[in-house]
Amino acid sequence: MKVKNRLAAALAALATIGQTAMSSLRNEDKENTFGAQERYLGFHEGIESVDEILLKNTLNSIELPEEPEDTFLLDTFIDDIVINWVSSDDKVLHLSGGTARVYHPKGGIDKTVTLTASAFLRDAMVSRDFEITVSAEEDDSINIEEVLKSPIGSKVSMHGIVSAFLYASGDHPEYRAGFYVTDSTGTMYVYGNMAEDVEIGDEIYVSGIRSVRFNTPQVYNPYNLTIISRNNKPSWDAVDTSKTVEEIYNLGKEAVGNVYEFDAHVSVNQYGLYTLKDIHYRDNGAAFKYYFAGTITPECENYASELKGKENQVVRVKFAVGANQDWDLRGDVLDIVSYEKEEEKDSHES
């Protein structure tokens, strides 16, 4: 009887030991399994989770036209995955829900647009970029020399570099009233609210109406404005550097619409408008003719502000010549080439 009791006790002890060992093994396996799962699911830095892998594979399965001609559709849901889309240029590829509307750029320059797809599932998010090339419409632009010869009221389109701004005066001196566009054949003033959309050095394509304001040529009501590239230097090949202020003034109407580079003496009147006098007439008020008056206010960050403080000095400028209703010549400073104190200029001349 005692043997049986001891045997039963031994068997019970062995069972307990076995259960403890099995429980320990199961806990160890569980910890190892959880560690592996933890590493697999991406809880450790640098490791992708299952959801992220699923999202990446889903995005990689999407195919878009590389050179679309017409509107096309975008996947916004695939199974339980939500996909959001963003266009890098909404004016060329405009997104509305799951539809990408194609607007072919003007001016003969193809445009590459990036569509970014962001896929979401639970707490995971993965993005992918798609490069889309949108072909341009046929280039209908003409050079600025031809624009200047175009009939008043005709529609014109041109390429060029934004070379200067003209600012408003009066109540809103900081407002850009328009901008100058320069190519190798000439410079044209563009009047309209699109001046706020461009910066100096932008290569652009723009359309508008050929017009005249105060006997000065311009392109009015610009549209189809396309920025082709940025940070460019305008070509000043068409600038006449051979004439003085007096010689330009004596040309009269023939000078209007052209750009000249010359040396001039800086003065400013009681209204804050700058005048560029011929250096040979600066000391004789009776002989001085009212050649050019700047229309840019000195409060703005433009070339007139650079002239501020340079009164009674000599500057070398690029100047776009215009006229008022009575054909008195006036115009705008496009570029300050250099300036020096008056006494230095006198010593150089002597």
Side-chain angles (χ1 to χ4, degrees), residues 45-56:
E45 185 177 357
I47 306 298
E48 292 180 327
S49 69
V50 172
D51 286 349
E52 288 173 329
I53 293 172
L54 178 60
L55 292 177
K56 180 176 289 187

Side-chain angles (χ1 to χ4, degrees), residues 281-290:
Y281 286 86
R282 63 178 182 268
D283 297 323
N284 189 339
F288 167 68
K289 297 178 180 180
Y290 192 78

Side-chain angles (χ1 to χ4, degrees), residues 17-314:
I17 293 172
Q19 290 174 354
T20 302
M22 290 299 294
S23 176
S24 177
L25 287 173
R26 282 195 296 270
N27 287 335
E28 183 178 350
D29 289 342
K30 185 178 179 181
E31 289 176 2
N32 290 338
T33 302
F34 180 76
Q37 184 183 43
E38 182 183 51
R39 288 190 295 275
Y40 180 69
L41 291 178
F43 295 112
H44 289 187
E45 185 177 357
I47 306 298
E48 292 180 327
S49 69
V50 172
D51 286 349
E52 288 173 329
I53 293 172
L54 178 60
L55 292 177
K56 180 176 289 187
N57 289 337
T58 300
L59 290 180
N60 287 337
S61 70
I62 295 176
E63 295 184 0
L64 297 182
E66 295 182 356
E67 298 183 5
E69 290 296 324
D70 301 304
T71 297
F72 57 94
L73 299 178
L74 301 169
D75 290 313
T76 56
F77 288 95
I78 298 179
D79 296 329
D80 293 330
I81 297 171
V82 178
I83 304 175
N84 292 336
W85 294 86
V86 176
S87 172
S88 65
D89 192 336
D90 202 50
K91 293 180 179 180
V92 178
L93 279 181
H94 177 77
L95 306 185
S96 178
T99 302
R101 302 186 184 278
V102 179
Y103 295 93
H104 296 277
K106 308 289 184 178
I109 306 297
D110 296 346
K111 187 77 172 182
T112 298
V113 181
T114 301
L115 290 186
T116 300
S118 298
F120 300 85
L121 181 63
R122 288 183 281 271
D123 294 330
M125 189 276 283
V126 174
S127 295
R128 179 190 172 191
D129 290 337
F130 297 81
E131 298 294 325
I132 308 293
T133 300
V134 180
S135 60
E137 293 184 358
E138 184 178 354
D139 188 1
D140 60 349
S141 65
I142 57 178
N143 63 42
I144 292 177
E145 182 180 17
E146 294 172 316
V147 172
L148 286 165
K149 296 176 182 178
S150 298
I152 304 302
S154 62
K155 294 181 179 180
V156 294
S157 299
M158 58 186 175
H159 282 284
I161 308 298
V162 178
S163 54
F165 290 115
L166 183 63
Y167 288 80
S169 58
D171 295 335
H172 303 284
E174 74 287 349
Y175 171 70
R176 295 176 181 174
F179 57 94
Y180 281 92
V181 179
T182 298
D183 70 6
S184 61
T185 69
T187 295
M188 173 59 74
Y189 178 60
V190 179
Y191 176 73
N193 56 11
M194 283 189 171
E196 296 296 327
D197 299 333
V198 296
E199 299 297 336
I200 301 296
D202 284 354
E203 179 188 2
I204 67 169
Y205 165 90
V206 66
S207 304
I209 308 299
R210 173 71 171 86
S211 62
V212 172
R213 184 172 185 268
F214 300 139
N215 291 320
T216 300
Q218 66 175 15
V219 169
Y220 175 73
N221 193 23
Y223 60 96
N224 287 342
L225 176 65
T226 301
I227 298 175
I228 299 169
S229 62
R230 296 187 181 275
N231 301 318
N232 301 283
K233 296 291 185 182
S235 169
W236 299 110
D237 293 347
V239 175
D240 187 341
T241 62
S242 66
K243 295 178 177 59
T244 66
V245 173
E246 183 183 14
E247 291 170 335
I248 296 167
Y249 186 85
N250 289 336
L251 289 174
K253 295 180 180 180
E254 293 182 14
V256 175
N258 297 324
V259 177
Y260 298 88
E261 182 179 313
F262 54 77
D263 292 322
H265 181 267
V266 181
S267 63
V268 62
N269 64 18
Q270 67 268 31
Y271 304 108
L273 298 180
Y274 286 93
T275 299
L276 298 175
K277 301 179 180 180
D278 190 285
I279 57 176
H280 301 294
Y281 286 86
R282 63 178 182 268
D283 297 323
N284 189 339
F288 167 68
K289 297 178 180 180
Y290 192 78
Y291 294 109
F292 305 107
T295 58
I296 307 175
T297 60
E299 291 82 4
C300 302
E301 293 183 1
N302 51 49
Y303 292 115
S305 64
E306 290 190 27
L307 287 176
K308 190 174 184 179
K310 297 179 177 60
E311 295 85 349
N312 300 318
Q313 295 186 27
V314 171

